[in-house]
Amino acid sequence: MLVYLLRRIAQSIFVALAMMVIVFFGIYMVGNPVDILISPDATPAEIEATMERFGFDQPIWMQFLTFLGNALQGDLGRSFVHGEPAVQLILHYMPATLELAALGLFFSVLIGVPLGVYAGYKSDRWQGRAIMTGSIFGFSLPNFWVGMLLILIFAVELRWLPSTGRGDTVEVLGVRLSIFAEGGLQYMILPALTLALYKASLVTRLARAGTQEALVQDYVKFARAKGVSETRILFVHVLKNIMIPIVTVLGLELGSMIAFAVVTETVFAWPGMGKLLIDSILTLDRPVIVAYLMMTVLIFITINLIVDVIYTLLDPRVRISGAAS
Amino acid sequence: MTVLSVENLQTHFFTDAGVVKAVDGVSFSLEEGEVLGLVGESGSGKTVTGFSILRLVDPPGRVTGGRILFRGQDLAKLPDREMRRLRGNRIAMIFQDPMMTLNPVLRIDTQMIEAVQAHEKVSKAAARDRAVQALARVGIPSPAERLNAYPHQFSGGMRQRVAIAIALLNGPDLIIADEPTTALDVTIQSQILAEVQGLARETGTSLIWITHDLAVVAGLADRIAVMYAGRIVESGPASAILTAPAHPYTAGLLGSIPGHGRRGDRLTQIPGMAPNMAHLPPGCAFAPRCPRVSDACRATAPEVTETGAGRALRCLHPLTEAVA
C-alpha cells in the first residue's frame, strides 16, 4: 500500500508539472496582461516600467523558469490585479466552493441512490420507467436555467429560501463556513440542489444499471432463499456491491463540481472560487489562473486517492490482494 | 408424515422463441426424513423444479399450474410475506456454485446472522452463537474466527460448507440441494455428501438432492425420480431403480456410469442430445434417442402408470415388458 501511495504521488507531481507548463504558455499566448492592467492612454515609458515590474520584458522561457523556481518554493506569484499572493486569494474563496460542492454531492447521493436502486428493482414497471425518463431532464436541463427556476419557485413565489449570497458563516477550525451556521445553511440549499441535479441523474442511472446487474446474481437468489426481506436485499446485498462504480464516478464528479461550479456560483452570487476564476481570466491574471488550476489538479489527485482508499473499504477482495498492482 | 407433495407442477418460461415448458406436469411427494434424488441431464428442469417449490423462479419463468403442498399448505396461494417466512426457515436451499452464492462484499457473520434474524427475534449475539455452532457442525475449523472472514477467503469446498451451514441454521423441515457437489473436487464431494447425509439423518430433515449424477444419489437417496425434458419419466425406491430400471432413459444413464465390475467394457452412451425445450416432439420427448421406440411413442406422450412397489413410469415400452 505504501509503495502504491508513493507511486501515485510521483505520478501526481508529474501531472502537476505538465499542467503548469500548459497553463503558463497557454495564458501567455492569449494576450498581454499589461494591456488590461494599465490605462489605454499610458505613455510608452509607463508601459515599459510596468512590463519591467512584472518581468514581462524577459523572454518567455526565462519568465517560466522564474515562475517555476518560485513555485517550487510554494510561491505561485502575486495576483496582478489584487496584489495578494494567488494561493492566499484562492484559499480565501475555496471554503465557500468546497462546502457547496460537498452539500451538492450529499444531495446527489441522497436523491440518486434510492431512486436508482428502486428503478433497477422495478425496471420493467412504470415506476422504473418514470424515474429513468425523469433522469433525462436532470441530464439535459442547463445548470443556469435550473438555478433560475429554483429561484423563481422557492425564493420568489414561495419565499421559502433566500436566493443570493452566502448568509451567515461560523468559523470552524479557522475556516469560515456557512454549512454549520444557523443562518447559513438555508442559503446553500438552492445552489447545492442546482449542482446536485445533474449528478443525481448520473447516480440514478449508475445505481439502476448496477442494481439490474446485481439482482440476477446467485447471491441475491440465495439471500431470498434464506428468507431475507427484499428491502434488506436491496439496501444491503445489492447496494454494497453497486457502490464501487458509484464511488468511482462520484469522486471524479466531485472534482469537476468543485472546479467548474462557475455557472451556479454566478447565478446565486455565491462568493466561491469559480467566480474568482472567471474574473481572473477576464483580466488575464496569470498567477491566479495558474494557481487555480494547480489547486484543481491537487483536488482531483486527492479525491482519486480517497476513492482508492474507499474501494478497499467497500470491496474486501481489494484489501487482501493489495492495490499495488 | 408427508412433508412435501408436488402435484402436476408446471413451470413455463415465456421467451421470444416461444413457451419453454421447463417443468411440465411433475408430481412427487416426500416423507419426513426421506431423501429424494432428483436426477436428470442439464436442462431437464430439475433445478427449475427446486426453484418453483421456493417460488424463486425469475421472469420470464412462471409457475403456471399444479399444486405444491408443504405440510398440507398450498405454497402457490401463500401471500409473499408468508412465503418469505418459510424460505430459509422451514424450507432451505443449497445452490450449485458455491463461488457465486455468498455475497462477495459481506462478511460470513453478516450473511449468517441475517438468516437467523430474518425469522426470529433474537439478539445479534445469540444469532452469532447459532452461526458458530452451525459452522462447527459442517466441519469448519475454528468457526468463531472464520465467521469474521469474507467469502473469498474460503476455498470452494469451504464455501459450500458455509452455504450448508446457512441452510441448517433454522433447523428446516426440508432442504433442497441443487447439485451442491458438482462444482467441487471429487474428494471434497464425497466428504460433503457424507456430512449432509449424516446431518439430515440426525435432524430428521427431508432432502431433495438434485443431481445429474446417478452415482451420487445411489448411496444417498431413499427414492429416485428421473427427469427428462421437464417430466419425471421414472420414479421409485432407489434400490429398485438402480438395480432394475424400467425406463430406457434410466437404463441409459446407469449404463454410462463407470463401475468396478465393468473394467474393460465399453461404457454405453445415450445417442443424440437433450431435446430443444422450445420445440419438443409431439409424442414421448425421449423417442428420438430411444432404442425401443415405436410409432406409438412418436404419436402420443405416455401417461404416468403405477407399476407397483411404489414405482411409477412414463413409457409405452418399459424394459420390464419383455420379461412380463
Side-chain angles (χ1 to χ4, degrees), chain B residues 250-282:
Chain B
T250 316
L253 282 181
L254 280 170
S256 56
I257 302 172
H260 283 303
R262 303 174 45 183
R263 189 177 294 267
D265 289 354
R266 280 189 75 88
L267 293 174
T268 52
Q269 59 175 18
I270 305 172
M273 278 167 38
N276 179 348
M277 293 297 287
H279 304 283
L280 286 179

Side-chain angles (χ1 to χ4, degrees), chain A residues 29 57 71 84 92 96 104 122 136 142 150 194 207 211 238 245 252-253 277 286 308:
Chain A
M29 275 159 52
D57 54 342
E84 277 181 68
H92 176 73
K122 299 262 181 195
I136 294 174
L150 287 178
T194 309
T211 304
V238 170
L252 296 172
E253 292 293 325
L277 177 68
R286 191 162 65 196
D308 280 345

Side-chain angles (χ1 to χ4, degrees), chain B residues 257-315:
Chain B
I257 302 172
H260 283 303
R262 303 174 45 183
R263 189 177 294 267
D265 289 354
R266 280 189 75 88
L267 293 174
T268 52
Q269 59 175 18
I270 305 172
M273 278 167 38
N276 179 348
M277 293 297 287
H279 304 283
L280 286 179
C284 174
F286 188 59
R289 303 170 73 184
C290 186
R292 302 167 69 87
V293 64
S294 70
D295 286 342
C297 300
R298 296 195 183 91
T300 51
E303 290 304 312
V304 182
T305 45
E306 308 271 344
T307 55
R311 298 184 65 164
L313 188 66
R314 267 184 203 266
C315 186

Side-chain angles (χ1 to χ4, degrees), chain A residues 300-314:
Chain A
F300 269 96
I301 289 166
T302 315
I303 289 172
N304 274 332
L305 264 181
I306 294 173
V307 164
D308 280 345
V309 173
I310 295 179
Y311 273 169
T312 63
L313 296 179
L314 283 174

Side-chain angles (χ1 to χ4, degrees), chain A residues 217-219 221-229 232 236-238 240-241 244 314-317 319-320, chain B residues 51 56 58 84 87-88 93 95 100-106 110-111 114-115 118-119 150 152-153 163 166:
Chain A
Q217 298 292 321
D218 264 6
Y219 61 77
K221 209 165 202 182
F222 189 64
R224 285 195 176 128
K226 288 193 296 191
V228 175
S229 70
R232 192 179 158 87
V236 175
H237 285 261
V238 170
K240 209 165 173 211
N241 276 283
I244 293 162
L314 283 174
D315 193 338
R317 289 164 293 189
R319 234 172 289 167
I320 298 307
Chain B
F51 283 138
L56 284 177
D58 285 323
R84 184 189 70 70
R87 278 189 212 123
M93 187 156 178
F95 287 32
M100 309 292 292
T101 49
L102 298 172
N103 193 328
V105 300
L106 297 178
T110 315
Q111 303 194 44
E114 69 174 2
H119 303 289
Y150 284 92
H152 70 271
Q153 292 166 297
I166 290 175

